[in-house]
Amino acid sequence: MANQLGLPAGLSEYIRESSLREDDVLRELRGTTSELPAGSALQVMPEEGQLLTLLAGLTPARRILEIGTYTGYSTLCLARALAPGGRVVTCDITDRWPRIGAEYWTRAGVDGRIDLRVGDAQATLGALVAVEGPGTFDFVFIDADKQHYPDYYESALTLVGDHGLIVVDNTLFFGRVVDPDAQDPDTVAIRAFNTLVRDDPRVEMSLVPMADGMTLIRRKRRTEG
């Protein structure tokens, strides 16, 4: 779980005390995840999960796509935001970590709203395009392997409807994006992705300095693109 970049610890704690409404189910899932190898680094901040719930609810979303499930904290947050009758399709390369979250999904009463797809994400996304067609999702959250962000983004643009919202996590990548000595593949990929989105005329966008960086992307109507 990345901390809030750029804020003193005291101010970050004040923000958490003043705004976070994390319930017992989410808190316990976060605690369980933090005990896993690299668990604290890989899961979303609770404030970020709360923001995802708010954004998806504003859409309002009946169909949500999540690329990168991990233990399903964000999945649970998104499932709670669904309009009546809605569903979250969440994708992960393995069911090892989502199995942990499944217990908490059931406890929260949202397990029936979650459709877990296990396998290569690009293959899963290709199948969604082929079977369900373009423009069938209202909201997409991308939080998976960074070097494939451009591919996931293009698939998301196809699958999301006009004026649908795409949220991409880790777009400041622990602050490494501004470190000239950081030339590892993931940091280089995030820099390239940020430039790609900034220059894309098909969308409106804003990189928000929330958590580890969240980029909000609104797809223009296809006739505007």
Side-chain angles (χ1 to χ4, degrees):
M1 179 181 66
N3 292 321
Q4 172 60 55
L5 290 176
L7 287 181
L11 188 54
S12 293
E13 186 59 33
Y14 175 80
I15 292 171
R16 177 163 292 183
E17 292 175 354
S18 299
S19 68
L20 184 61
R21 295 179 172 182
E22 186 181 45
D23 66 9
D24 289 342
V25 177
L26 285 171
R27 189 178 303 109
E28 290 172 25
L29 175 54
R30 180 160 59 94
T32 298
T33 304
S34 69
E35 295 173 358
L36 300 173
S40 294
L42 291 173
Q43 69 176 331
V44 300
M45 284 182 65
E47 292 87 349
E48 186 178 4
Q50 184 168 302
L51 179 58
L52 287 171
T53 302
L54 178 62
L55 291 172
L58 288 171
T59 307
R62 286 182 56 85
R63 295 275 289 164
I64 295 176
L65 173 63
E66 179 181 46
I67 305 169
T69 312
Y70 193 39
T71 60
Y73 187 101
S74 54
T75 315
L76 173 50
C77 292
L78 291 168
R80 284 177 162 172
L82 285 165
R87 181 168 293 268
V88 176
V89 175
T90 185
C91 314
D92 209 282
I93 192 65
T94 175
D95 67 353
R96 179 182 180 184
W97 310 121
R99 279 202 308 265
I100 294 171
E103 171 192 342
Y104 296 89
W105 301 342
T106 300
R107 286 176 55 190
V110 300
D111 51 311
R113 308 176 198 172
I114 297 170
D115 178 4
L116 173 64
R117 308 286 180 96
V118 176
D120 178 78
Q122 290 175 274
T124 299
L125 296 172
L128 286 171
V129 172
V131 173
E132 305 198 27
T136 49
F137 287 86
D138 307 299
F139 187 100
V140 180
F141 179 49
I142 301 174
D143 184 14
D145 53 305
K146 311 313 171 193
Q147 294 175 57
H148 285 106
Y149 266 23
D151 300 317
Y152 301 151
Y153 173 63
E154 288 299 330
S155 294
L157 280 177
T158 298
L159 285 163
V160 78
D162 290 343
H163 291 173
L165 186 63
I166 301 169
V167 179
V168 185
D169 197 18
N170 304 121
T171 49
L172 294 178
F173 207 58
F174 304 97
R176 292 174 63 83
V177 288
V178 295
D179 180 358
D181 294 328
Q183 296 299 324
D184 59 280
D186 285 343
T187 302
V188 171
I190 289 294
R191 290 191 192 109
F193 174 76
N194 289 339
T195 300
L196 170 69
V197 176
R198 182 198 66 193
D199 296 340
D200 191 344
R202 298 170 294 177
V203 301
E204 300 169 302
M205 59 79 64
S206 179
L207 199 170
V208 180
M210 166 73 178
D212 192 32
M214 298 176 70
T215 298
L216 311 184
I217 303 163
R218 185 171 183 252
R219 200 203 198 292
K220 296 179 182 177
R221 291 189 184 277
R222 283 161 171 80
T223 54
E224 298 176 37

